[in-house]
Amino acid sequence: MEKILEVKNVSKRYQNKQGEVLALQNINLRINKGEFVSIIGPSGCGKSTLLSIIAGLEEKTTGEIYIEGEKVEGISPKVGYMLQRDCLLEWKNILSNTMFGLEIKGNNTKEYKKQVEELLKKYDLYDFKDKYPSELSGGMRQRVALIRTLAVKPKILLLDEAFSALDYQTRIMVTNDIYNILKKEKMTALIVTHDISEAISMSDRVIVLNARPGTVKDIHKIEFEIENRNPINCRESPKFSQYFNTLWKELGVNE
Ligand code: ADP
Ligand code: MG
């Protein structure tokens, strides 16, 4: 299998007023092309820190990150990032918002505009292209944020609690929606969530981290024998509750 991301012996030590915090210690993981992997673990175990390091936004204390075999030094153009806040610009319309990543990169050409418009059409947002973010629902805003991210053609998408601001019903629908788009676009995804169900429903593997310092405790392979699996239909499988119980127990020990 073709490997997209490799994290090798990554540790992170923060300095703060109280002294030093060892946030991550000797993290090793690899993610193959097309794989969806979730990271779960108690609050403060270093999940966001790990994603920021992979994106090149945060410096690591030791170790290396490789994306498609290339060492990540500084902000990586191969990484797309989605946060809890969709970070849409309220004064720009939907088309401008989705073009924004390309503008920053200086790729704001006619050809790219056409590609973005195609994405908007494909994912039912074209009719909203002249509207402003405040006119859209939370779920639609996340879809716009996703298209903006996909427009710059990242090799891997990092999601940090991307759905946690949405209410329960919306979250289930939006997770399903985003999952289907990512699969259609053949993306690779690394998902951080505190929600065990979300992790199981979206992933091929779930990585459990220990708290302080964050280390890899266990890696679970998630498999459902469902044709056209998606986050909603796998919740109905008996295997879903088995995985849930296993992960629940494993996290409980940490609390
Ligand atoms: P998580 O996302 O799993 O909740 P974080 O990655 O945000 O965890 O934080 C991991 C640990 O590192 C926590 O103990 C947190 O207080 C500490 N930390 C995070 N960011 C900073 C920072 N900029 N300066 C100092 N300590 C930090
Ligand atoms: Mg976090």
Side-chain angles (χ1 to χ4, degrees):
M1 251 200 225
E2 197 185 329
K3 153 177 87 186
I4 289 272
L5 170 73
E6 192 164 21
V7 175
K8 274 187 164 172
N9 295 320
V10 164
S11 301
K12 172 71 184 179
R13 199 180 291 277
Y14 282 113
Q15 315 282 345
N16 60 22
K17 280 182 195 140
Q18 288 78 43
E20 289 190 336
V21 182
L22 186 55
L24 295 168
Q25 189 173 41
N26 280 336
I27 302 288
N28 286 287
L29 53 102
R30 51 179 287 173
I31 298 181
N32 293 318
K33 195 164 193 245
E35 227 187 344
F36 280 30
V37 176
S38 285
I39 298 179
I40 59 173
S43 172
C45 74
K47 304 182 291 296
S48 296
T49 300
L50 182 58
L51 286 201
S52 302
I53 289 174
I54 293 170
L57 297 167
E58 184 74 69
E59 290 206 21
K60 50 205 176 302
T61 309
T62 68
E64 285 115 45
I65 308 283
Y66 295 90
I67 297 178
E68 289 188 319
E70 264 178 46
K71 207 170 180 175
V72 174
E73 318 260 16
I75 294 173
S76 172
K78 294 186 172 186
V79 170
Y81 214 157
M82 271 184 84
L83 303 167
Q84 186 178 334
R85 283 178 49 239
D86 55 42
C87 302
L88 298 182
L89 305 171
E90 300 296 338
W91 65 91
K92 282 182 179 270
N93 69 20
I94 299 308
L95 181 62
S96 306
N97 263 290
T98 47
M99 292 289 296
F100 190 65
L102 293 167
E103 272 173 32
I104 292 175
K105 289 184 137 188
N107 284 341
N108 189 8
T109 60
K110 262 193 186 147
E111 194 189 325
Y112 278 108
K113 187 174 175 207
K114 206 163 156 243
Q115 283 177 19
V116 170
E117 284 179 339
E118 287 305 315
L119 280 171
L120 288 171
K121 277 182 196 155
K122 197 165 162 190
Y123 299 114
D124 301 327
L125 283 166
Y126 193 72
D127 291 346
F128 298 86
K129 71 178 178 12
D130 301 319
K131 300 234 184 270
Y132 287 83
S134 63
E135 298 174 85
L136 268 57
S137 68
M140 287 174 92
R141 291 178 63 119
Q142 273 302 35
R143 214 186 308 156
V144 173
L146 178 65
I147 288 172
R148 179 188 55 193
T149 308
L150 293 179
V152 299
K153 301 204 181 316
K155 300 297 174 189
I156 182 165
L157 184 65
L158 311 178
L159 296 101
D160 192 351
E161 308 275 6
F163 311 113
S164 54
L166 305 168
D167 66 74
Y168 182 74
Q169 298 283 343
T170 313
R171 194 163 80 225
I172 304 259
M173 298 313 290
V174 172
T175 308
N176 209 58
D177 188 33
I178 301 275
Y179 177 95
N180 287 330
I181 295 174
L182 293 177
K183 284 290 173 193
K184 236 185 220 164
E185 301 299 322
K186 298 187 168 55
M187 277 300 299
T188 307
L190 181 57
I191 302 153
V192 158
T193 175
H194 63 268
D195 183 332
I196 300 175
S197 300
E198 190 174 292
I200 299 166
S201 73
M202 288 194 85
S203 314
D204 302 303
R205 280 189 292 147
V206 176
I207 299 174
V208 182
L209 295 188
N210 280 312
R212 281 183 211 102
T215 50
V216 175
K217 182 175 191 186
D218 215 342
I219 301 181
H220 297 265
K221 218 172 169 24
I222 308 290
E223 283 169 314
F224 292 102
E225 286 85 37
I226 299 175
E227 219 177 299
N228 296 323
R229 171 192 164 179
N230 65 42
I232 289 183
N233 66 21
C234 70
R235 282 173 188 262
E236 280 147 32
S237 160
K239 277 182 113 179
F240 191 89
S241 46
Q242 285 168 22
Y243 286 131
F244 187 93
N245 289 336
T246 307
L247 290 170
W248 176 261
K249 277 188 198 137
E250 196 162 346
L251 279 178
V253 178
N254 275 322
E255 304 278 66

